[in-house]
Amino acid sequence: MTIEVKNIVKKFGSFAALDNVDLKVDQGELLALLGPSGSGKTTLLRIIAGLDWPDAGEVLIDGENALARGASERHVGFVFQHYALFRHMTVFENVAFGLRVQPRAIRKDEATIRARVKELLDLVQLDWLSDRYPSQLSGGQRQRIALARALAIEPRILLLDEPFGALDAKVRKELRQWLRSLHNEIHVTSIFVTHDQEEALEVANRVVVMDKGRIEQIGSPGEVYDNPATAFVHGFIGESIVLPVDVSGGSVRLGGRPLNIAANGAASGASKLFVRRHDMQIGPAGSGSLEGAVRHVRSFGPIQRAEVALSGGEGKTIIEIDAPRDRELQAGEIVSLQPRRYRIFAAQD
Amino acid sequence: MSTQSSVVTSATELRAYAPTADLTVSPPPSRIERARPRTGTSPDNLRTEPGPVRFIIISLAVTFLSVFVVLPLVVVFASAFSKGIGAYLVALAEPEALSAIKLTLLVAAISVTLNLVFGVIAAWAIAKFDFTGKTFLITLIDLPFSVSPVISGLVFVLLFGAQGFFGTWLQAHDIHILFAVPGIALATIFVTFPFVARALIPLMQEQGTQEEEAAISLGASGLQTFFRVTLPNIKWGLLYGVLLCNARAMGEFGAVSVVSGHIRGETNTMPLLVEILYNEYQFVASFAIASLLAMLALITLVVKTVLERRLDEGQEPRDH
């Protein structure tokens, strides 16, 4: 099933939670809505589910106007951050709920319902918990039951609101891979909301980066990481070094000193230079366009992270760079730095 | 041996769903149950107050409760049985007494039922929706608690009395509200309205709307959501509210006294009859009825304790 969102506007009082949002989700996609809190991603998800209503705009599910139907008629599976399992029902009854509340005319008989619930509990590998109550389960188990419950109604689309947000880091990582493989198996068009970039990049086919009620960029995980469309995306995804620079006539200056890099068509004026930590080439003093003193070096895994105090310019600018382990760095050493890959965006504020 | 602690872990290894990958999902952060530190010193030494002070404080509390709560209760039962159990039973079997008991039960049944429905609706509206005037509505629900019951009764006299707002119209249509069951029921409903709503609002606010949203997204209708999800979640709170509502409905004196008209054998509820009999020096009969009300209070107290325990249990298993 496809989902199409057109010109959605949603205001809470004078605060615009969603400001003219357009989005198209293709059949079978696993899409991530990524953004900081308050970016409107959960609101967008709730509007698609029918749990919130937009002030303007259209929502089409499979080409059909979804806003003409209430949440109970949209046939949308929704998984909540805090699971929202029915606390007075067993795991089995939780999963069976969607089947039991169907109109009498299409409701399955008890044996079919039991078989279906069993099948779903097997799918999420928790059939041995079917007589427990939600309060007796761990967070990861609860979330998988919530997913089984949502899948019971054979939803046209699956929406997950920060599905792993309430879990601890280890469980979260495992459930991520599990969701990925589950999606490979059942191929239902899915959208999940997250503020965790790693989660979005690792799980989704496509990532929608949102900020302040607007979509900043839509693209594959590789695209949004390697070719951020805006300063916000560059700053939000991956760790970046940000330096205030001046662009004039194709040359880039930092605190008055020219940097030996091309402006790449950036407009003249106050700008920001974004460089990934590992894209800063380290060389002997005098070999690059930036220079600084190493203040501190920490080594872990394949990299060493160095704190460098840039010399020149007004005040002291301290940046963190990642260098390969084979380049010995000492605290106090003067090094030169040269951005290998970088982006320049106009400074907005 | 100073501190004992036991770590409870449920080592549950789960197979991963993906046939290719071999993942394990670790158990939840284990709950660490710590036993209280057991030290060599006697527990008495750990208390902050010296023995005599503790003794005085406890005796003061016990004396106060005995004089103001236990003693009156004893007096009620002692007076009721002062002429033997025979006289007690005869007093209760009087037609006037029977009619008062019947009327009290009837009024309680009506007002508890209606307040159950309206209380749930009001609590639902307040806990689950945001609307303008919500704070005003919450204040309004508390109004019966802050108004003297006599005034509450008087309001109905002003509305439905012969000189009242609807008086002429009611007389023309031969409808009796004052000095009849409807008036007594109305006054009781008014006075007891806050109990159910008050018991439910904090509970429903605490539970939020997520389970309802989940039910709706699974295709449940509004009624299905209410009866299958909301109601089971609030049932202990609801019973608690109903219990207190019932106790007050049966025991209400002031408001009912104003609207009842004290027609013997017709519009006297149990509390009213107690007063009438007492004023007529029929002490055994008066205290016999009073003993029934006292017993109601005792039963209410026991059930209330049980319900409070259930409510606490219902709240406990939530971790976010």
Side-chain angles (χ1 to χ4, degrees), chain A residues 38-115:
Chain A
S39 59
K41 52 196 194 307
T42 293
T43 307
L44 180 57
L45 198 73
R46 289 174 59 86
I47 285 173
I48 295 170
L51 298 173
D52 261 326
W53 294 85
D55 297 325
E58 270 184 280
V59 177
L60 304 176
I61 298 178
D62 226 19
E64 184 191 272
N65 177 17
L67 295 180
R69 294 165 180 269
S72 62
E73 296 165 330
R74 285 194 199 176
H75 232 75
V76 165
F78 200 97
V79 175
F80 296 82
Q81 179 177 5
H82 296 299
Y83 330 118
L85 293 176
F86 306 126
R87 70 194 90 178
H88 62 286
M89 295 182 200
T90 60
V91 162
F92 185 94
E93 286 306 318
N94 262 282
V95 178
F97 185 87
L99 302 170
R100 295 204 192 283
V101 296
Q102 281 180 334
R104 210 171 288 274
I106 57 164
R107 198 185 304 160
K108 317 264 193 319
D109 62 78
E110 184 63 22
T112 317
I113 290 179
R114 292 199 154 268

Side-chain angles (χ1 to χ4, degrees), chain B residues 180-317:
Chain B
V181 177
I184 299 171
L186 277 175
T188 311
I189 289 168
F190 179 84
V191 173
T192 59
F193 178 75
F195 287 100
V196 173
R198 270 280 145 200
L200 291 183
I201 290 170
L203 184 64
M204 289 172 102
Q205 276 175 334
E206 199 256 351
Q207 290 179 345
T209 49
Q210 282 220 327
E211 285 184 44
E212 278 81 7
E213 284 181 349
I216 288 168
S217 79
L218 289 167
S221 66
L223 275 181
Q224 282 174 323
T225 303
F226 178 76
F227 283 109
R228 285 168 182 255
V229 176
T230 309
L231 199 56
N233 275 341
I234 60 169
K235 64 182 172 204
W236 297 118
L238 191 59
L239 274 177
Y240 182 81
V242 162
L243 180 81
L244 295 186
C245 180
N246 181 61
R248 179 70 190 266
M250 289 191 174
E252 176 56 27
F253 181 86
V256 171
S257 173
V258 176
V259 295
S260 124
H262 306 278
I263 306 168
R264 303 198 83 145
E266 272 186 47
T267 63
N268 277 334
T269 59
M270 285 162 73
L272 298 185
L273 189 63
V274 169
E275 196 215 14
I276 290 169
L277 292 174
Y278 184 82
N279 286 342
E280 292 171 353
Y281 303 105
Q282 303 189 44
F283 295 127
V284 169
S286 167
F287 281 109
I289 308 276
S291 73
L292 291 183
L293 288 171
M295 263 190 287
L296 169 77
L298 290 176
I299 293 168
T300 303
L301 214 61
V302 172
V303 180
K304 178 172 165 278
T305 313
V306 172
L307 284 179
E308 276 170 353
R309 202 163 298 160
R310 296 308 291 259
L311 264 173
D312 284 347
E313 279 168 22
Q315 307 289 297
E316 192 229 346

Side-chain angles (χ1 to χ4, degrees), chain A residues 194-206:
Chain A
T194 179
H195 62 268
D196 179 345
Q197 41 156 316
E198 204 184 314
E199 193 167 292
L201 299 180
E202 198 174 302
V203 178
N205 305 123
R206 268 203 310 161

Side-chain angles (χ1 to χ4, degrees), chain A residues 264-332:
Chain A
N264 287 348
S268 293
S271 306
K272 280 179 176 169
L273 172 71
F274 284 79
V275 189
R276 300 274 184 220
R277 278 178 180 168
H278 54 83
D279 281 337
M280 205 56 115
Q281 171 104 44
I282 302 184
S287 65
S289 44
L290 287 164
E291 214 163 67
V294 176
R295 285 161 51 98
H296 188 73
V297 186
R298 277 171 298 151
S299 297
F300 45 85
I303 58 150
Q304 51 185 340
R305 179 157 299 167
E307 239 179 62
V308 178
L310 294 183
S311 44
E314 71 272 22
K316 220 173 204 179
T317 311
I318 295 166
I319 60 172
E320 280 196 324
I321 56 165
D322 288 345
R325 288 293 281 271
D326 48 19
R327 169 77 170 83
E328 285 283 310
L329 282 175
Q330 303 286 331

